[in-house]
Amino acid sequence: IIKYFKKSSVYALIILLAVLMIYYLFETKPFQIKNINIKGNSFLTKSSIKNQIKINNKTILNIDFKSLKKLLLKNNYIQDVKIYIEFPNSLNINIIEINPIAVIEEKEKIFFIDEKLNLIPIDIEALNHFTNIPIITNLSGNNINLNLSGEIVSKILNNAKNIYDNLNELRYYNNKTKLYIGENTEIIINNQNLKNDLNKLFSFNNQFIKKNNISIDKKYKQINLTVKNQIITLEKNETI
């Protein structure tokens, strides 16, 4: 009888502890998300990101990471996102925003072009936030070749940062493209020979401009890359 009583007491104690634990978990909800920590955002506000995901009564144990990431990537200004949980009740979101490299007007609307050459719709708030971005102007009379003009800007950004940082405008024509640097220095590129012309510009920039610490927009009025195997320059103190 004593052994039976002891066994019953142990079982009762286990059941009681289990009930108390369930009650505790139900009442305190220790894993319910109480903290949403957002990092990496510059243009987007934390409140706008939280409003986008709308996590109500979710716990860190039942978060669908794949769906949450897919939802966040619908935002035009988010390039990538990493999501992870932190016990007991925190959700951490690391945002990588887009990096606009140019502004362009297409079909009477204004867009950013990002590093992946995607078109991103612009509003006034975004235009005021992302500054010092070169403008692409279509003067061809036809539909602009977005891939070509975007590729020019992207290659300059990746291969000649000193030129990109002073690039104000890219004017796209049917057969040529003109870049306007700093104080109105003009660089002319042949659209049909884009790769070679850009390579000439990068070599000239690395071997002469950067090596001699020259300010390209102070020294040159025009740099013509369209002549085969030549770079024709006109300095600002020269006349044609």
Side-chain angles (χ1 to χ4, degrees):
I1 296 173
I2 295 174
K3 287 183 179 180
Y4 176 78
F5 178 76
K6 287 183 177 179
K7 273 188 177 182
S8 299
S9 298
V10 171
Y11 290 147
L13 180 61
I14 292 173
I15 293 171
L16 177 61
L17 289 174
V19 170
L20 290 174
M21 179 61 71
I22 292 170
Y23 178 79
Y24 170 78
L25 292 175
F26 181 79
E27 288 296 318
T28 62
K29 298 177 181 178
F31 300 122
Q32 184 171 337
I33 295 173
K34 296 179 181 177
N35 303 306
I36 301 177
N37 303 313
I38 299 171
K39 294 182 180 179
N41 59 305
S42 174
F43 168 62
L44 298 171
T45 64
K46 292 181 179 181
S47 60
S48 69
I49 296 170
K50 289 179 181 179
N51 288 336
Q52 185 177 350
I53 59 179
K54 294 180 180 178
I55 294 178
N56 297 317
N57 299 320
K58 291 280 187 180
T59 74
I60 60 173
L61 303 177
N62 63 9
I63 282 289
D64 186 339
F65 291 95
K66 186 175 181 180
S67 297
L68 184 57
K69 181 173 183 177
K70 186 177 180 180
L71 178 62
L72 285 168
L73 289 177
K74 287 182 179 180
N75 190 309
N76 289 323
Y77 293 93
I78 296 178
Q79 178 178 306
D80 199 6
V81 59
K82 293 182 180 179
I83 306 167
Y84 59 97
I85 58 174
E86 186 176 338
F87 282 95
N89 52 25
S90 294
L91 178 69
N92 298 321
I93 301 174
N94 288 349
I95 297 292
I96 299 176
E97 294 183 345
I98 63 164
N99 181 30
I101 62 173
V103 175
I104 188 169
E105 183 177 344
E106 175 71 4
K107 296 179 181 179
E108 299 183 352
K109 293 183 180 180
I110 302 176
F111 297 89
F112 285 133
I113 297 180
D114 70 5
E115 291 178 302
K116 295 183 179 179
L117 306 185
N118 297 312
L119 290 180
I120 312 296
I122 297 178
D123 58 27
I124 295 298
E125 190 176 356
L127 200 58
N128 289 332
H129 178 83
F130 296 100
T131 58
N132 299 321
I133 299 175
I135 298 169
I136 297 176
T137 305
N138 182 14
L139 297 174
S140 68
N142 301 303
N143 291 332
I144 191 169
N145 186 330
L146 291 172
N147 287 332
L148 185 143
S149 54
E151 183 182 357
I152 293 174
V153 177
S154 179
K155 285 184 178 294
I156 292 173
L157 171 63
N158 293 321
N159 295 279
K161 188 68 162 49
N162 60 311
I163 295 178
Y164 176 83
D165 287 343
N166 291 286
L167 179 59
N168 296 321
E169 185 181 8
L170 181 154
R171 295 181 185 174
Y172 176 82
Y173 300 85
N174 283 323
N175 299 316
K176 63 186 175 183
T177 296
K178 293 183 177 181
L179 310 175
Y180 289 89
I181 311 295
E183 297 179 9
N184 214 30
T185 295
E186 182 182 69
I187 300 177
I188 307 173
I189 297 170
N190 183 346
N191 291 344
Q192 308 306 317
N193 200 29
L194 175 64
K195 184 177 179 180
N196 287 335
D197 283 1
L198 285 176
N199 285 337
K200 282 195 292 183
L201 175 62
F202 301 149
S203 295
F204 178 65
N205 183 57
N206 290 328
Q207 297 173 19
F208 185 70
I209 298 298
K210 291 170 70 175
K211 189 174 181 179
N212 293 285
N213 198 27
I214 293 171
S215 177
I216 195 169
D217 64 313
K218 298 287 194 302
K219 184 175 179 64
Y220 296 106
K221 184 175 183 179
Q222 186 183 88
I223 300 174
N224 190 340
L225 304 165
T226 62
V227 180
K228 187 176 181 180
N229 298 324
Q230 294 186 55
I231 298 175
I232 301 173
T233 63
L234 177 67
E235 295 191 8
K236 289 200 169 179
N237 56 0
E238 295 177 333
T239 56
I240 299 176

